[in-house]
Each structure stands twice: as structure tokens, then as C-alpha cells.
């Protein structure tokens, strides 16, 4: 058989198959990250329900700690935040290796959030939120809380240092919406 006698085979396009696969994969994934806006399909903020995340199987260590385990909560800290762009309490002291359940109440009329991090990390993220106000993300150290709702964060502070809680909704951080978290070494 020569090349001239070969009939060209019909090429099958994989595009429809690929598109179908992507649609099915996104439907099965189910987990969605939401932006810093008041729009949420279930009319509740991402963290207005009890602590519920769609994260990787393994928790990621951050300089300020790691996602906490509900069975190992050392204590509960209630935090309120409102349209005065302040957290109450504004300063918290925590012992190294404590797992804290933050119960975060938004007493305001607009969306606020509590994000735990370093001052440098939060400042950098706050600047990005000004440029990209609809940036989507959902991390275990963040609670986006709609007006009048309550959210939670479970966090283990396994690193010592001075950290920050902040609201990174566009302009809130720049208006002073931040607090201090001091994590001290456990005395033996």
C-alpha cells in the first residue's frame, strides 16, 4: 500500500468531549469561592454557617498558624465588627499552640470580614482588593460575614509573634479596620 492509496481518516474533534468533561467536573466539584461582595447565591455569607470549608485535604502551615481542629478548641473568642470599621476586642493575647474558635458577629449594615495574617501580608492583600474588588477566595483564616450574620474561624496558633486581624473589603483596611493578635510562647 502506498501513501497515495490511503484514505484520509476522519479526524475526531476532542473539543465537545473536553467541554463536556469540564462541565461535569465543575458540577461535581461543588465548592465555590466567593468574592468580597454582598452577592452570594444562598443569601448567606461563605462563613455565616458553622465552620465549613472546601479546602485541600491537608491543612497549609502559615507563618501565623494552621487551620484548627474543632475537637481541639482551647477556647472561644467572640469578636464583633461593624460599620465603625473596628473590631472588638481590638487586641487579643493567645498562648502558642492554642486552638481558637473565633465567633465573629457583623453588627453593621454592610459586608465585613476577619482575615488573620501578618501585617505585611494583610496590607499587601488589602491593596490588591482595592485594585480587584471582586477577587475570589476562601481560606480557613478568613470569615466573610454579611450584615447581621455570624461567622467562624477555627485556627491553631502554633507560631509565636504579633499578627493581625483585618477586614480587607475594599477601603476598610485603609479606614483602620484591623486589630492585633499577640501569640506568646507557652510557659512551662
Amino acid at each position: 500500500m502506498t501513501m497515495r492509496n490511503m484514505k484520509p481518516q476522519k479526524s475526531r474533534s476532542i473539543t465537545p468531549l473536553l467541554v463536556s468533561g469540564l462541565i461535569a467536573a465543575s458540577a461535581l466539584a461543588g465548592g465555590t469561592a466567593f468574592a468580597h461582595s454582598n452577592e452570594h447565591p444562598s443569601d448567606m455569607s461563605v462563613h455565616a454557617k458553622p465552620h465549613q470549608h472546601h479546602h485541600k485535604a491537608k491543612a497549609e502551615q502559615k507563618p501565623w498558624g494552621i487551620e484548627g481542629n474543632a475537637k481541639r478548641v482551647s477556647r472561644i473568642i467572640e469578636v464583633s465588627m461593624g460599620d465603625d470599621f473596628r473590631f472588638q476586642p481590638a487586641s487579643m493575647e493567645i498562648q502558642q499552640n492554642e486552638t481558637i474558635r473565633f465567633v465573629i458577629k457583623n453588627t453593621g449594615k454592610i459586608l465585613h470580614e476577619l482575615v488573620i495574617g501578618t501585617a505585611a501580608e494583610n496590607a499587601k492583600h488589602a491593596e490588591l482588593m482595592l485594585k480587584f474588588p471582586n477577587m475570589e477566595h476562601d481560606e480557613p483564616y478568613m470569615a466573610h460575614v454579611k450584615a447581621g450574620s455570624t461567622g467562624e474561624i477555627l485556627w491553631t496558633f502554633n507560631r509565636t509573634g504579633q499578627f493581625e486581624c483585618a477586614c480587607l473589603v475594599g477601603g476598610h483596611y485603609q479606614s483602620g479596620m484591623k486589630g492585633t493578635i499577640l501569640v506568646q510562647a507557652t510557659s512551662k
Side-chain angles (χ1 to χ4, degrees):
M1 175 171 2
T2 64
M3 293 294 276
R4 273 184 267 155
N5 293 340
M6 292 182 67
K7 292 184 181 176
Q9 296 213 355
K10 290 184 182 176
S11 114
R12 293 185 186 182
S13 172
I14 63 166
T15 304
L17 182 60
L18 184 59
V19 170
S20 298
L22 288 173
I23 291 170
S26 40
L28 289 173
T32 305
F34 299 96
H36 292 178
S37 72
N38 284 324
E39 298 171 11
H40 188 280
S42 69
D43 198 35
M44 290 185 81
S45 68
V46 172
H47 296 280
K49 300 177 222 173
H51 189 72
Q52 184 177 4
H53 294 288
H54 304 286
H55 296 291
K56 301 174 240 167
K58 187 173 178 173
E60 182 183 353
Q61 178 67 54
K62 295 290 189 182
W64 54 92
I66 194 164
E67 184 173 14
N69 179 330
K71 295 177 183 175
R72 295 192 174 142
V73 171
S74 307
R75 63 187 165 120
I76 297 169
I77 297 178
E78 294 182 356
V79 179
S80 66
M81 57 188 180
D83 299 343
D84 61 352
F85 301 106
R86 299 290 178 259
F87 291 104
Q88 290 298 324
S91 179
M92 296 167 255
E93 290 187 12
I94 296 170
Q95 294 296 306
Q96 182 179 14
N97 296 318
E98 272 193 293
T99 297
I100 304 296
R101 178 186 305 272
F102 291 96
V103 178
I104 306 141
K105 174 75 175 164
N106 182 349
T107 60
K109 296 187 182 332
I110 59 174
L111 175 76
H112 292 291
E113 67 181 1
L114 188 145
V115 177
I116 302 168
T118 63
E121 191 78 25
N122 282 343
K124 183 173 135 185
H125 191 156
E127 288 301 315
L128 280 174
M129 291 309 302
L130 287 174
K131 292 178 185 172
F132 307 103
N134 294 320
M135 183 189 319
E136 296 183 2
H137 50 276
D138 176 27
E139 298 292 341
Y141 51 88
M142 300 177 171
H144 315 286
V145 186
K146 287 181 76 169
S149 296
T150 301
E152 289 188 352
I153 295 176
L154 281 172
W155 197 254
T156 299
F157 291 90
N158 59 2
R159 302 282 201 262
T160 60
Q162 184 167 317
F163 305 107
E164 186 176 76
C165 61
C167 181
L168 304 181
V169 173
H172 295 201
Y173 185 81
Q174 292 78 0
S175 296
M177 197 165 183
K178 52 190 164 183
T180 304
I181 300 173
L182 181 61
V183 182
Q184 300 172 328
T186 308
S187 55
K188 296 188 180 201

